[in-house]
Amino acid sequence: MLLNREQSGKRWHLRPDGVGKVTGKLQYLTDMTLPDMIHGRVLRSSYPYARIVSIDITGAEAMEGVFAVLTSKDVPGLNRFGIATPDQPVFCEDVVRYVGDAIAAVAADSPERAARALEAIRVEYEEWTPMDSTEAALAPGAPVLHEHGPGNVLHRTEIKRGNVEEAFAACEHIVAETYYTPRQMHAYMETEGGLFVPEENGRLHVYAATQHGYKDRMQLSRIIGCSEEDIRVVSSPIGGSFGGKDELNVQPYGALLALRSGRPVKMHNSRKESVRAGLKRHPMKIEMQTGISREGMIQAHRVRITADTGAYATLGAPVLNFCTEHCLGPYSIPHVDVEGISVYTNNGVSGEFRGFGGNQAIFAMEGQMDRLAEIMKMDPWEFRRRNMREKTDPGPLNQRILGTDGLSQVWEAMDRSELWQKHQHLPADPSLPPWIKRGVGAAIAMHGAGLGYGIPDPAGGRLSLNAEGKIEVAFSYEEFGQGLIATLEMMLCDLFHCSTSDLSIIIGDTDRVPHSGSSTASRSTTMAWMALQRLQTPFRSKILSVASTLSGIPADELITGIGGVWRKGQLPPAVTANDTTIDSRVVVSYADLAKDGEAEEWTFDTHFEYPTTPDNVVGGHYLYTYAAVAAEVEVNTLTGEAKLLDTRHVVAAGPVINPMGFIGQIEGGSVMALGFTLTEDAVMQDSRYITTNLDTYLIPTIRDIHTHLEVEAIEELPEGDPYGPRGIGEIGSVALAPAITAAIHQATGVWVNRLPVPRDQLIKPLDVPLQEGVNRS
Amino acid sequence: MSEPLENLWAAVVNGEERKLQIAQSTRLVDVLRTHLNLTGTKVSCEVGRCGACMVLMDGEPVNSCLVMAYQCVGSEITTIEGLHGEKEDELHPIQQAFVEEGGFQCGYCTPGMVISTKALLDRYPQPSQEQIETGLCGNLCRCTGYGGIIRAVRTAGENCVSSFTLITGEKKVNDL
């Protein structure tokens, strides 16, 4: 189904957080203030790599209006954080490893005074030469950044099967290419920050963005040296994250400053500080050799992935796992030899980012597919079909996965599409000047959801009828813009035929929600759906049985609806209106039901794990979504500018619960991928950022986007599929880059192997015939 | 000790005269967010690139991170809090269109985006694609991919035209 407002009909659901956002009345956590609050700031390293000789804070401490000055000596608990590997110091003790490293923090009665106090802190360094590349960090004799080496290796991966050497020897054609991808920045519009409030009862309230409040609470308790229950984390609403706020950022500083000063502390990073200290997408070098038989069947695939993970681990290892898994694409390949390495350097910290290493892998693998198809003089889409995995084939890591028809469906839908058909007969446009060239390209992807085998991935939720007579649902998921609250509303209205005014949705507050895992890895929608499937029956039974007792009508003649319980057959067609008046036909209202019995009797919990493959393959996924993307691109060969004219995303992710949210996620992911492909790179020189703000780090503006973009959803799942709608937070962002570079190739003959696409590669003298296969690295 | 008289700042903010004793080098974004607690105006890049802090200054859209207090003394400032429908508790047609078309996700760019749209539609009630791109290219959105925003601006254009005609009509009657 082509997704748009018209097609969606009544499913076009207005977001409950919309009015607050368009009026500016919604308070983000960085907008919060308290009358007696003070302002926190962090002193960050002057060098990317140095030994700290001494730190003198006496000047700052003596300043008027300064309430606290902290260094590593003031961390009561563990002076480290990190979701997977806690190796990042809250405050550096002896060595700094990147320009975002924190040395000290201050809290003062105004932001200006806090800034002046930072200037008064004297730090003496012994500057060392930074390892500004993976090559430098892997060179023999290179200094070692962390004890948990070996050397500067954070993590290694491999997939080996068959006999690659023999298979290559028997291949008819082999394509070898090295792909480079940029250090992309999340560029969420709201930078990191929040309010940290010591409460009178001794607890600490943390109002700061994260994708996993419980994980923040655990890490903060470890740093502070208190119990987790002593901390409350409120973590929504969030002004964008895309993976970038999953790790702690300002939270340790705000928390420690608040506890030391005994006053609420406000933190809010400037954009420059956000760039300097924040996570980025892993820059990767991916070397690929792929060999095919005379018939065009892939026989052998050798891959070497090198990821620059920067100064600290964060999720560098899982990202590399994901990249390794996805660099085989959705193809059936008998002989495989993949090795990945994630390397510590003195560059900015790389971590989690929408697509999670899939973007880099899919760009490379799909690039290989187009090059091979060209050697075969075969239609690139047909070449893909020949090599595609069967529904029942094992996954990329030879693990059992849940088979769906998603892959063939997205392939077929794209094959039929007008945009892709253009590829065959791209009409020459005589009105265009000769330096404007057009091409069409396409790419396909399978993308795993959930954290993968062997990694704790708990899920769950709570459904209750609260004292006010609202159907209340509570999850530890976060609203960072994706439209989770709207999706939950729609799921609940579908299940209980009720109105949005019957609902109370609670997320993002560790005091009020159960532990149901993180909002990452395209998992929230699926997990919320599965939780509600488990909870609905006991919840509904309880409601109907109490309603039956109160009304004397048999429970099997009753049904939940708007405002309360109805007689079956009397319930009007489902609406999601905000009507709060109770229809006189309501047998028992929810409010009256709630008065019957104790709160616990009306509360239902569930706990389960995200579905994983039964095979012992760490990181291997079980549920995948599938997507095909086609792109028509216009290249100006005088300026090297590429412009995306037309794009079509076909996504197979099961039933579309929330069309507005679905379109928004795919469009937004697509434009983020456009930036990844054409303009975005957080450039570092000698391990310092050159692009320090949004005036030089160029994310797409409204002028730069696709002239036309269509989203087609394939909603079919196998009959009786117990997992329901799959998350689509990432799938829109993973396959556009290879579609664009394929289109650029058709337009200009240039095979692009580096992102963002270097303009100088596309600038061509008019009178020189274009050469194929030209690459400059 | 009271602030010196030269630090008296006064402007009309959302139709109300506001006076503050602040340094004249204070940025307008801080005047609004910190001193007047109007946090609907967002702060993001602080170099005039992203448009999150866009407000109307005497009807013109400006990045409030680039305007100093002394530059807007006596001005009429409209922030997102100053925008509403015919009644104060109703949405402005532009805001309504953003809600209906899904012209936002995280919403952090939205106040600035709405303000820029207001300035655009005041000038071009039914803007062309080119005019929309020019009018909004100073506002970055990282979530939506701009699709929903463009649809919202078009819808708002249609809605605003009808209300615009009405007002013009009344005015004509008065003029007669």
Side-chain angles (χ1 to χ4, degrees):
Chain A
M1 179 177 84
L2 197 63
L3 269 189
N4 53 41
R5 185 177 173 179
E6 290 70 37
Q7 292 275 357
S8 304
K10 282 186 177 170
R11 302 288 303 168
W12 195 256
H13 179 85
L14 304 191
R15 291 177 60 148
D17 50 352
V19 171
K21 286 179 174 177
V22 301
T23 55
K25 289 191 177 118
L26 180 88
Q27 279 224 318
Y28 293 80
L29 303 167
T30 50
D31 291 331
M32 295 177 70
T33 55
L34 279 172
D36 57 344
M37 73 177 191
I38 54 178
H39 301 264
R41 291 283 299 268
V42 177
L43 180 71
R44 301 199 183 267
S45 174
S46 300
Y47 301 99
Y49 193 29
R51 185 172 76 83
I52 300 171
V53 178
S54 65
I55 306 170
D56 179 4
I57 59 169
T58 48
E61 281 181 315
M63 285 173 72
E64 193 192 338
V66 172
F67 285 76
V69 185
L70 306 177
T71 67
S72 64
K73 295 188 185 88
D74 303 297
V75 180
L78 179 71
N79 187 26
R80 290 289 183 279
F81 64 93
I83 289 181
T85 313
D87 68 352
Q88 184 157 357
V90 176
F91 295 111
C92 294
E93 300 104 346
D94 45 3
V95 174
V96 290
R97 299 178 186 84
Y98 89 117
V99 289
D101 259 333
I103 313 273
V106 302
D109 58 3
S110 74
E112 295 75 21
R113 275 202 168 128
R116 281 201 295 275
L118 287 191
E119 287 166 14
I121 297 173
R122 301 275 166 254
V123 185
E124 201 185 328
Y125 299 90
E126 179 188 322
E127 191 187 351
W128 292 337
T129 306
M131 292 176 282
D132 62 355
S133 65
T134 54
E135 288 81 7
L138 292 174
V144 176
L145 286 173
H146 295 280
E147 288 164 0
H148 52 77
N152 287 312
V153 176
L154 164 66
H155 185 56
R156 284 183 192 274
T157 54
E158 64 170 47
I159 314 173
K160 311 259 181 185
R161 50 179 181 259
N163 186 327
V164 170
E165 292 307 323
E166 277 180 19
F168 272 123
C171 280
E172 186 78 7
H173 302 286
I174 298 170
V175 161
E177 179 72 277
T178 303
Y179 299 86
Y180 300 87
T181 62
R183 189 186 312 279
Q184 192 181 20
M185 184 157 76
H186 302 80
Y188 29 74
M189 282 296 114
E190 183 195 32
T191 52
E192 309 83 359
L195 191 63
F196 301 82
V197 187
E199 297 290 327
E200 279 176 7
N201 56 11
R203 294 182 82 212
L204 177 72
H205 287 192
V206 171
Y207 301 88
T210 180
Q211 291 182 218
H212 195 175
Y214 274 99
K215 200 82 170 181
D216 277 22
R217 196 177 79 154
M218 182 276 285
Q219 294 200 74
L220 285 173
S221 77
R222 217 159 53 179
I223 291 165
I224 296 166
C226 65
S227 80
E228 290 193 43
E229 289 68 33
D230 289 339
I231 304 170
R232 174 190 185 189
V233 174
V234 176
S235 40
S236 288
I238 303 173
S241 179
F242 317 110
K245 292 172 184 164
D246 205 12
E247 283 285 3
L248 294 181
N249 41 75
V250 299
Q251 293 93 327
Y253 313 106
L256 292 170
L257 289 168
L259 291 175
R260 171 63 68 90
S261 64
R263 295 180 65 156
V265 172
K266 182 171 175 129
M267 309 279 304
H268 198 170
N269 278 349
S270 68
R271 177 62 62 180
K272 279 188 172 183
E273 185 158 8
S274 173
V275 173
R276 180 177 181 168
L279 300 178
K280 309 290 182 295
R281 189 188 292 289
H282 282 77
M284 289 192 193
K285 173 186 172 188
I286 302 179
E287 299 161 89
M288 273 191 183
Q289 259 181 296
T290 313
I292 53 173
S293 66
R294 183 171 304 188
E295 295 75 33
M297 303 302 288
I298 303 175
Q299 299 299 313
H301 192 44
R302 181 185 285 124
V303 185
R304 295 292 177 264
I305 305 162
T306 311
D308 180 350
T309 205
Y312 299 103
T314 168
L315 292 181
V319 166
L320 182 67
N321 286 343
F322 199 92
C323 182
T324 305
E325 176 183 351
H326 286 72
C327 73
L328 308 183
Y331 305 110
S332 171
I333 311 176
H335 303 278
V336 175
D337 169 11
V338 182
E339 288 177 15
I341 183 169
S342 189
V343 184
Y344 284 119
T345 65
N346 293 113
N347 290 332
V349 180
S350 308
E352 175 181 340
F353 195 152
R354 191 183 210 171
F356 209 76
N359 321 52
Q360 297 94 319
I362 293 162
F363 167 59
M365 185 58 193
E366 291 297 281
Q368 292 292 94
M369 298 305 282
D370 284 318
R371 286 159 175 77
L372 288 165
E374 181 163 279
I375 287 178
M376 287 292 294
K377 297 189 171 47
M378 191 185 278
D379 179 273
W381 211 238
E382 172 58 21
F383 179 73
R384 283 172 171 82
R385 191 195 58 78
R386 275 190 194 195
N387 285 287
M388 259 163 31
R389 62 185 302 280
E390 296 291 329
K391 177 179 169 179
T392 51
D393 283 352
L397 302 174
N398 242 348
Q399 85 277 29
R400 273 172 284 176
I401 71 172
L402 186 83
T404 75
D405 290 323
L407 184 62
S408 56
Q409 286 168 323
V410 297
W411 186 91
E412 280 162 21
M414 189 56 80
D415 194 50
R416 285 194 302 267
S417 75
E418 210 174 301
L419 175 55
W420 178 245
Q421 291 295 329
K422 257 175 143 176
H423 172 81
Q424 302 277 10
H425 318 281
L426 196 64
D429 186 343
S431 68
L432 291 176
W435 55 85
I436 299 292
K437 312 283 184 191
R438 284 184 177 171
V440 176
I444 199 163
M446 68 187 286
H447 202 261
L451 304 186
Y453 183 89
I455 301 160
D457 200 357
R462 179 179 302 148
L463 186 61
S464 52
L465 190 65
N466 70 19
E468 289 80 49
K470 302 279 182 196
I471 298 174
E472 184 171 290
V473 67
F475 291 109
S476 67
Y477 306 132
E478 315 290 350
E479 176 63 71
F480 35 87
Q482 76 275 43
L484 173 70
I485 304 172
T487 300
L488 291 175
E489 272 193 353
M490 296 182 78
M491 283 182 187
L492 287 161
C493 288
D494 285 349
L495 277 180
F496 299 114
H497 318 291
C498 61
S499 145
T500 52
S501 61
D502 295 322
L503 301 175
S504 163
I505 291 171
I506 299 174
I507 56 161
D509 183 342
T510 55
D511 270 14
R512 302 179 69 202
V513 302
H515 197 322
S516 48
S518 62
S519 301
T520 48
S522 301
R523 70 190 291 292
S524 304
T525 298
T526 305
M527 291 301 85
W529 188 87
M530 286 179 68
L532 290 176
Q533 291 301 308
R534 284 161 165 75
L535 294 167
Q536 60 157 327
T537 308
F539 181 70
R540 188 185 285 113
S541 303
K542 168 79 179 170
I543 285 185
L544 297 186
S545 84
V546 174
S548 171
T549 311
L550 293 177
S551 66
I553 301 168
D556 60 4
E557 288 177 27
L558 297 173
I559 186 169
T560 58
I562 300 159
V565 174
W566 295 60
R567 256 183 195 275
K568 278 182 184 168
Q570 288 192 345
L571 189 68
V575 286
T576 54
N578 248 324
D579 188 5
T580 49
T581 54
I582 299 291
D583 191 291
S584 60
R585 288 167 296 173
V586 167
V587 176
V588 188
S589 72
Y590 293 125
D592 286 341
L593 282 171
K595 288 174 195 154
D596 196 276
E598 297 300 311
E600 300 84 62
E601 295 171 38
W602 287 107
T603 303
F604 298 85
D605 279 285
T606 183
H607 300 280
F608 55 100
E609 289 279 320
Y610 193 93
T612 52
T613 175
D615 298 311
N616 180 12
V617 181
V618 172
H621 290 85
Y622 186 57
L623 300 185
Y624 288 83
T625 44
Y626 300 88
V629 184
E632 182 179 6
V633 176
E634 181 176 279
V635 179
N636 181 330
T637 58
L638 291 181
T639 64
E641 182 189 12
K643 172 84 183 161
L644 195 47
L645 300 179
D646 196 356
T647 312
R648 189 179 187 87
H649 284 257
V650 184
V651 179
V656 176
I657 300 286
N658 175 3
M660 184 198 278
F662 196 107
I663 295 170
Q665 284 293 296
I666 301 302
E667 285 183 341
S670 186
V671 169
M672 188 171 260
L674 176 69
F676 174 68
T677 311
L678 294 181
T679 55
E680 293 184 35
D681 192 6
V683 180
M684 301 203 88
Q685 197 172 62
D686 302 328
S687 296
R688 290 174 188 273
Y689 285 102
I690 305 288
T691 46
T692 57
N693 203 326
L694 299 175
D695 53 349
T696 46
Y697 182 88
L698 302 177
I699 71 169
T701 73
I702 202 166
R703 263 204 190 291
D704 305 312
I705 60 167
H706 329 24
T707 309
H708 188 246
L709 191 163
E710 276 185 346
V711 180
E712 182 177 349
I714 291 170
E715 303 192 73
E716 204 182 313
L717 282 175
E719 204 173 322
D721 174 278
Y723 308 112
R726 315 291 201 249
I728 44 108
E730 295 169 285
I731 193 77
S733 74
V734 295
L736 183 69
I740 290 177
T741 51
I744 288 175
H745 176 70
Q746 194 187 31
T748 65
V750 175
W751 284 121
V752 171
N753 66 335
R754 181 183 287 269
L755 301 181
V757 176
R759 281 194 175 197
D760 61 340
Q761 285 191 10
L762 307 186
I763 297 172
K764 296 287 158 191
L766 286 175
D767 53 347
V768 178
L770 295 172
Q771 269 188 300
E772 300 225 350
V774 175
N775 280 320
R776 280 176 251 162
S777 58
Chain B
M1 193 179 79
S2 64
E3 295 281 332
L5 200 59
E6 59 265 27
N7 279 348
L8 182 72
W9 179 86
V12 176
V13 180
N14 298 331
E16 195 183 326
E17 184 157 24
R18 305 299 295 259
K19 289 181 181 172
L20 291 168
Q21 291 285 352
I22 49 167
Q24 293 296 304
S25 59
T26 310
R27 302 177 307 176
L28 177 56
V29 65
D30 295 324
V31 173
L32 296 170
R33 283 178 63 84
T34 308
H35 298 278
L36 299 177
N37 200 27
L38 294 169
T39 54
T41 299
K42 302 303 177 194
V43 60
S44 185
C45 77
E46 303 179 81
V47 295
R49 179 62 201 93
C50 75
C53 66
M54 199 74 76
V55 299
L56 298 177
M57 184 169 141
D58 297 326
E60 291 295 318
V62 296
N63 285 298
S64 61
C65 70
L66 298 182
V67 176
M68 302 294 126
Y70 73 88
Q71 292 172 302
C72 55
V73 170
S75 296
E76 198 163 315
I77 310 288
T78 305
T79 73
I80 190 70
E81 289 91 347
L83 215 61
H84 52 76
E86 281 185 26
K87 292 181 190 159
E88 261 197 49
D89 59 349
E90 286 175 2
L91 295 181
H92 188 276
I94 294 171
Q95 292 167 322
Q96 187 65 39
F98 270 75
V99 172
E100 280 172 14
E101 298 290 347
F104 65 91
Q105 284 184 24
C106 88
Y108 201 77
C109 75
T110 310
M113 204 64 86
V114 169
I115 290 288
S116 288
T117 304
K118 174 78 168 69
L120 170 72
L121 297 184
D122 282 349
R123 186 166 294 182
Y124 308 108
Q126 275 197 302
S128 64
Q129 178 67 22
E130 173 74 18
Q131 286 163 340
I132 293 175
E133 288 180 14
T134 306
L136 297 185
C137 70
N139 292 76
L140 297 178
C141 169
R142 189 56 155 173
C143 297
T144 63
Y146 304 101
I149 292 172
I150 293 171
R151 293 188 285 273
V153 174
R154 289 209 183 109
T155 303
E158 288 158 18
N159 295 347
C160 287
V161 162
S162 47
S163 54
F164 181 79
T165 317
L166 184 73
I167 293 163
T168 325
E170 281 174 1
K171 229 181 170 181
K172 273 182 188 161
V173 174
N174 290 343
D175 287 346
L176 285 169

